[in-house]
Amino acid sequence: MGEQARARRSDAVRNRGRILTAARHLVTERGPQVSMSEIAGHAGVAVGTLYQHFPTKADLVSAVVAEQAGELVDAVVQAWERVRDDHAEPAAELLAFVERVLEAAAVDRAVKAAARSLGAEPEFSDAEARGAAALGHLIDAGRAAGTLRHDLAVSDLYLLVATCPTDQPPEVRRRWLTLVRPGLLRQ
Amino acid sequence: MGEQARARRSDAVRNRGRILTAARHLVTERGPQVSMSEIAGHAGVAVGTLYQHFPTKADLVSAVVAEQAGELVDAVVQAWERVRDDHAEPAAELLAFVERVLEAAAVDRAVKAAARSLGAEPEFSDAEARGAAALGHLIDAGRAAGTLRHDLAVSDLYLLVATCPTDQPPEVRRRWLTLVRPGLLRQ
Amino acid sequence: MGEQARARRSDAVRNRGRILTAARHLVTERGPQVSMSEIAGHAGVAVGTLYQHFPTKADLVSAVVAEQAGELVDAVVQAWERVRDDHAEPAAELLAFVERVLEAAAVDRAVKAAARSLGAEPEFSDAEARGAAALGHLIDAGRAAGTLRHDLAVSDLYLLVATCPTDQPPEVRRRWLTLVRPGLLRQ
Amino acid sequence: MGEQARARRSDAVRNRGRILTAARHLVTERGPQVSMSEIAGHAGVAVGTLYQHFPTKADLVSAVVAEQAGELVDAVVQAWERVRDDHAEPAAELLAFVERVLEAAAVDRAVKAAARSLGAEPEFSDAEARGAAALGHLIDAGRAAGTLRHDLAVSDLYLLVATCPTDQPPEVRRRWLTLVRPGLLRQ
DNA sequence: TATGAATGAGCGTTCATTCAT
DNA sequence: CATGAATGAACGCTCATTCAT
């Protein structure tokens, strides 16, 4: 019985992974209007299994979004670690992070949703808390170095990231970065 | 015959107004996914009447968006006229226009859609062409006066207006304006 | 007042004609599923005027069909007159009439409906009564001459005409005539 | 798993049968313009279930028609087998087949549609190919025996079957057979 | 009489969600 | 736990018919 339970649980874990992978790919390519049946089909499970793992479609989409948010968190944590270890300059890392989010969101509608959700429910997860902390350190370092705007805050970054023009062509995205840069740097 | 036609037409005009009002309110509050039946209900007419005035749902939503775009166009035209007549300073008028768009869009998702659509199909209507012209004059004046960014273009304004944080509370919207301002002004 | 009444009446007559003409053309080309609005548009009147002349769509379509039936009646009356005046042979005229109906119906979906309705409500109009009489005379002459099937009846012609393959290509229509001919002629 | 799948499948099969039965009855009585909702109601299922089994209304109607066509194919195959085994005479079997189609179509507008579709897309299914082959053998046998029209072809049968007077009362249908018979037999 | 805007039941179809197996 | 057939409300849209003017 214990064995069966373990087997079932591992099956369930694998299914959850498959579902998230399929949902990520489909939401990435076609947005959140993909149907649950289609996600189930791509995951190789039945629709019922989707609902076993995620009570509603919104829950599944949120989970996908949270996954992508996790990757952005990793990026900012690494940026902070480079700055902390004196391998990089905070203003450059911050701008690179914004660019990274923008470019990722441009090719991934789930990342876009993730970016928009960032400041919405503050620190709703461990991952986001770690990201917010790293971002805070990065900004503090830049302010201390006098390269970033003197009153810049984490919430400012959330705001800009949430409003970046993800559905525009590359040259437009670059122009947006150019326009926004002076607001982040020391005047 | 003329009288009867006029009477009918005035009724139809009133209904068209009611439909647009209902559509504006509902799209404002709940986005473009509101159903045609619901709009009809709020307008106090039958669905068929909606389709008599607007052949498809897209046409109705576009009409709402165009209405709001019209108000923004009026605002920028008036701003340019004040500057042209030496009653105002171009940089201040431009920033006030951006603020106005932001505040309008904040309370109206249709205005937001209008803002987003501005640069999409360049000069697709007379109104938009007039707005773009006024905006161009305003920017040229500010560049000539040395108060606006030296390479600022109309498309830059479209870009910022399209990405302003319309769903955020007032203090967040003001903060966004603060962050974006340096990118518009001369460094 | 008398003048006005006369004018109105003549207007009404002209409108009725226009409506029938438009309905005939449209039903001919696209079948009875054309909408009343479209017929009204082609007739240059408002939909309400259609309903003034024909209480329901079915009534209008029936009127078109009756019109076409009238032309077939004329054809058979003339055929009988030729036979009666010894200008033609009854069997040949009868077969020519069937061919004529078939060819007319092939290019006119209203004639097709007319053909199908022929025997349905026996002698529902003066015109049809005249047609049935002429057809009866024609058949009697052929039976007397020994060239037509000895027990041929008017209803037999109605039956064949109602089932002729109107939507088939010309060679198929000719083949059907060939197959059906022996059943009409003396064995 | 196999058991569960089988249980579900048997339910689904029963529902599919119910849907086809309901569709057959309704299409039989009122033609293909019956609505999907009504078919669903008569089948005792929800509309969604119809669409689970048949992606579009056309697919459902086609399935009904194909079912009926299948029965006609069986009839002609059996007729040919009787002739081939010297248990029957080809001309008699052919005429009996035509009568059978006519009688079947008279009580079922779906059969009528099936009959009309027969020659339309030649051999679009295995069943129809088998039917056409059997019909061809039957005709060849009759021509060889000198009892059928010397140039009779399968397409001639399709043509007559497609134009038989299915909506007429029994005596009219019998009369049509009488009129058509000479065209099929040797003169 | 003529007008044509308004009506609203009805259509085919979709899809998030449930639940018997 | 997994299955997937079943559900049914909801959608955008059509069109024969009505009726105030």
Side-chain angles (χ1 to χ4, degrees), chain A residues 149 151 156 163 175 179 183, chain B residues 149 151 156 163 175 178-179 183:
Chain A
R149 174 191 264 263
D151 64 348
D156 292 337
T163 58
R175 181 64 180 171
L179 288 173
Chain B
R149 174 191 265 262
D151 64 349
D156 293 335
T163 58
R175 180 63 180 170
T178 303
L179 289 172

Side-chain angles (χ1 to χ4, degrees), chain C residues 25-174:
Chain C
H25 284 161
L26 286 169
V27 172
T28 287
E29 282 166 18
R30 310 226 309 276
Q33 82 278 18
V34 288
S35 74
M36 290 294 261
S37 299
E38 200 165 0
I39 295 173
H42 276 247
V45 301
V47 266
T49 308
L50 256 61
Y51 283 90
Q52 205 106 33
H53 289 278
F54 305 94
T56 69
K57 185 181 182 179
D59 291 322
L60 173 53
V61 172
S62 298
V64 167
V65 165
E67 250 192 355
Q68 307 292 1
E71 299 199 2
L72 300 184
V73 164
D74 289 347
V76 73
V77 165
Q78 285 161 25
W80 161 237
E81 287 170 355
R82 280 191 295 274
V83 169
R84 185 197 56 196
D85 301 347
D86 273 330
H87 298 142
E89 202 275 321
E93 284 289 340
L94 190 72
L95 289 168
F97 171 66
V98 173
E99 184 169 3
R100 174 167 183 159
V101 173
L102 177 51
E103 293 308 312
V107 298
D108 186 340
R109 300 184 60 165
V111 171
K112 178 178 168 182
R116 277 179 204 235
S117 78
L118 263 180
E121 299 173 18
E123 275 103 62
F124 77 101
S125 76
D126 269 13
E128 197 176 333
R130 281 190 303 122
L135 199 52
H137 293 320
L138 210 48
I139 290 172
D140 288 345
R143 290 168 62 184
T147 49
L148 289 180
R149 172 191 266 262
H150 74 281
D151 63 350
L152 197 64
V154 170
S155 59
D156 292 337
L157 266 295
Y158 283 169
L159 178 55
L160 288 178
V161 152
T163 58
C164 63
T166 55
D167 8 359
Q168 300 292 335
E171 64 273 19
V172 174
R173 300 198 300 263
R174 273 195 295 274

Side-chain angles (χ1 to χ4, degrees), chain D:
Chain D
M1 209 192 271
E3 239 177 84
Q4 285 173 12
R6 224 177 299 131
R8 257 305 169 203
R9 194 167 301 155
S10 77
D11 258 35
V13 165
R14 196 174 65 225
N15 269 344
R16 193 188 164 91
R18 281 180 179 173
I19 290 166
L20 278 171
T21 301
R24 189 165 50 239
H25 284 161
L26 286 169
V27 172
T28 287
E29 282 166 17
R30 310 227 310 276
Q33 82 279 16
V34 288
S35 76
M36 289 296 261
S37 302
E38 199 165 358
I39 295 174
H42 277 247
V45 301
V47 266
T49 306
L50 256 62
Y51 284 92
Q52 194 130 24
H53 288 277
F54 304 94
T56 68
K57 184 183 180 178
D59 290 323
L60 174 53
V61 172
S62 298
V64 167
V65 166
E67 242 191 2
Q68 311 292 359
E71 300 197 3
L72 300 184
V73 164
D74 290 347
V76 74
V77 166
Q78 285 160 25
W80 161 238
E81 286 171 353
R82 280 191 294 274
V83 168
R84 184 196 56 197
D85 302 346
D86 273 331
H87 298 141
E89 201 274 322
E93 285 288 340
L94 190 72
L95 289 168
F97 171 66
V98 173
E99 184 170 3
R100 174 166 183 158
V101 174
L102 177 51
E103 293 309 312
V107 298
D108 188 339
R109 294 186 61 170
V111 171
K112 181 176 170 182
R116 268 170 214 263
S117 80
L118 265 180
E121 298 175 18
E123 273 104 64
F124 77 102
S125 77
D126 270 14
E128 196 178 334
R130 281 190 303 121
L135 198 52
H137 293 320
L138 211 49
I139 290 172
D140 288 344
R143 290 168 62 184
T147 49
L148 288 181
R149 174 190 264 262
H150 74 280
D151 64 349
L152 197 64
V154 170
S155 59
D156 292 335
L157 268 293
Y158 283 168
L159 178 54
L160 288 178
V161 151
T163 57
C164 63
T166 54
D167 331 344
Q168 302 291 336
E171 65 273 18
V172 174
R173 301 199 301 265
R174 273 195 295 275
R175 180 65 179 167
W176 179 84
L177 280 167
T178 303
L179 288 172
V180 149
R181 183 176 294 118
L184 294 173
L185 301 180
R186 179 161 212 186
Q187 298 306 300

Side-chain angles (χ1 to χ4, degrees), chain A residues 97-159:
Chain A
F97 171 66
V98 173
E99 184 169 3
R100 172 166 184 159
V101 174
L102 177 50
E103 293 308 312
V107 297
D108 185 339
R109 300 183 60 164
V111 171
K112 178 178 169 182
R116 276 178 205 237
S117 79
L118 263 181
E121 299 174 19
E123 275 104 65
F124 77 101
S125 76
D126 270 13
E128 197 177 333
R130 282 189 304 121
L135 198 51
H137 293 320
L138 210 48
I139 289 172
D140 288 344
R143 290 168 62 184
T147 48
L148 288 180
R149 174 191 264 263
H150 74 280
D151 64 348
L152 197 64
V154 171
S155 59
D156 292 337
L157 267 294
Y158 283 169
L159 179 54

Side-chain angles (χ1 to χ4, degrees), chain A residues 25-93:
Chain A
H25 284 161
L26 287 170
V27 173
T28 288
E29 282 165 18
R30 310 226 310 275
Q33 82 279 17
V34 287
S35 74
M36 290 295 260
S37 300
E38 200 166 359
I39 295 173
H42 277 247
V45 300
V47 266
T49 308
L50 256 61
Y51 284 90
Q52 204 107 32
H53 288 278
F54 305 94
T56 69
K57 184 182 182 179
D59 291 322
L60 173 52
V61 172
S62 298
V64 167
V65 165
E67 250 192 356
Q68 308 292 1
E71 299 200 1
L72 299 183
V73 164
D74 289 347
V76 74
V77 165
Q78 286 161 24
W80 162 237
E81 287 170 355
R82 280 191 294 274
V83 168
R84 185 196 55 197
D85 301 346
D86 273 331
H87 297 142
E89 202 274 322
E93 284 289 341

Side-chain angles (χ1 to χ4, degrees), chain B residues 8 15 46 48-49 52-53:
Chain B
R8 256 303 167 207
N15 268 343
T49 306
Q52 193 131 24
H53 288 278

